[in-house]
Amino acid sequence: MTDTASKSIAVLLPCYNEAEAIAQTVEGFRRALPTATIYVYDNGSTDNTVEVARQAGAEVYSEPLKGKGNVVRRMFADVEADVYVMADGDATYDPDAAPKMIDLLHSTRSDMIVGTRQSSEDAAYRRGHRSGNRLLTGLVTHIFGRRFTDILSGYRVFSHRFVKSFPALSKGFEIETELTIHALELRAPVSELATTYASRPEGSASKLRTFSDGFRILRVIIQMTKEERPLAFFSLIALFFLIICLAIGVPVLLEYFDTGLVPRQPRWIASVAFAIAALQSFSVGLVLDTVTKGRQETKRLLYLSLPR
């Protein structure tokens, strides 16, 4: 076992209207990590979440910009520590798993440990959320690398250098997807640990909206594919234009070979236009791929310049 007491540990708990759960969450992490400093970042709660968190012994701060991504961005900027533990303030994640995740972070010299959610309760981890998670996880692993089984888990442990090199551009629940892709693009050492996922306390309601937030996460995956894999992204667009070009232009071309005439000139002009669009899309992908490689090198050097 690694001596976690020799490292400064920060527990980061983003929350919004979690008065029914925040005291239980803070007390659980205080028991599991007695040497850690617990930070609660409130995102504009309208109940007494702030007062309850302070009474439980947490350091409480506020982030006025709505959205979990904005809260994580603020937490990562404000808090200095050697090890960061991040979980939701809704008492769904198991605090007793935190020491094991920290030990795994040290023993494997990783930069991020993801607590993969294990639950037999449908109320805790609804089927729609499970199916959406599998779909989005499969898409991310297919594009960026197969190293995670639960990209949407909010229970994570980070090294200092990972937190301070993470740009945190997302505004809402898509922040977990951005964290995952950031680690995959850095090719940072990462690992997973199965953790218990429980139902929310009575009176607490999930802020996650299955379809709207799912589409936002999908949009982030597409956007980051464009930014991190521009050649593949724009090559697909070029292929789409090329298929249309061939579907329109080949019949006209065959007719020209048979008769020596081009009676359907508008179709031929449209075919040429789509061919030009395909060439332009592929060229854009080539240029952006060069730019992206330079940006990735800069990001990697920043990451390596920070102490682990």
Side-chain angles (χ1 to χ4, degrees), residues 89-163:
D90 56 10
T92 54
Y93 292 108
D94 179 17
D96 292 333
K100 300 174 185 177
M101 294 171 70
I102 295 173
D103 286 335
L104 185 60
L105 184 86
H106 292 315
S107 64
T108 59
R109 299 186 63 80
S110 294
D111 283 308
M112 181 171 71
I113 305 297
V114 178
T116 58
R117 293 167 289 180
Q118 305 291 322
S119 177
S120 58
E121 303 177 50
D122 286 341
Y125 196 9
R126 299 198 297 268
R127 291 183 180 180
H129 290 179
R130 293 175 195 255
S131 300
N133 188 16
R134 284 195 293 268
L135 177 64
L136 295 170
T137 296
L139 182 60
V140 167
T141 56
H142 179 74
I143 297 172
F144 296 99
R146 196 173 298 277
R147 300 176 68 189
F148 294 101
T149 59
D150 185 2
I151 68 163
L152 302 183
S153 173
Y155 197 8
R156 301 181 185 227
V157 173
F158 308 100
S159 68
H160 176 270
R161 70 180 177 185
F162 184 91
V163 164

Side-chain angles (χ1 to χ4, degrees), residues 34-49:
T35 63
T37 304
I38 300 178
Y39 299 87
V40 170
Y41 272 73
D42 180 68
N43 199 205
S45 294
T46 55
D47 60 7
N48 61 335
T49 294

Side-chain angles (χ1 to χ4, degrees), residues 160-287:
H160 176 270
R161 70 180 177 185
F162 184 91
V163 164
K164 295 305 179 181
S165 67
F166 178 62
L169 302 177
S170 300
K171 297 179 181 179
F173 283 108
E174 61 272 23
I175 188 67
E176 285 89 1
T177 303
E178 187 186 353
L179 283 163
T180 300
I181 295 175
H182 180 71
L184 292 172
E185 284 302 282
L186 278 177
R187 283 175 273 177
V190 296
S191 189
E192 293 183 317
L193 183 71
T195 58
T196 303
Y197 191 65
S199 299
R200 289 169 167 267
E202 187 176 351
S204 176
S206 175
K207 315 303 184 298
L208 180 65
R209 295 163 296 178
T210 302
F211 292 103
S212 59
D213 286 318
F215 281 118
R216 289 177 66 181
I217 292 168
L218 180 61
R219 184 183 64 189
V220 166
I221 294 173
I222 295 172
Q223 180 180 346
M224 296 196 74
T225 301
K226 175 178 69 69
E227 293 174 357
E228 303 296 340
R229 298 282 194 277
L231 183 56
F233 182 85
F234 285 99
S235 291
L236 283 176
I237 296 176
L239 179 61
F240 174 73
F241 285 143
L242 182 61
I243 290 172
I244 296 176
C245 164
L246 295 175
I248 296 175
V250 167
V252 177
L253 197 60
L254 291 176
E255 190 173 4
Y256 171 76
F257 288 147
D258 288 340
T259 65
L261 301 173
V262 184
R264 294 179 289 179
Q265 291 187 4
R267 289 175 63 94
W268 180 248
I269 293 171
S271 175
V272 171
F274 278 111
I276 294 172
L279 181 61
Q280 288 179 331
S281 296
F282 184 71
S283 300
V284 167
L286 284 175
V287 173

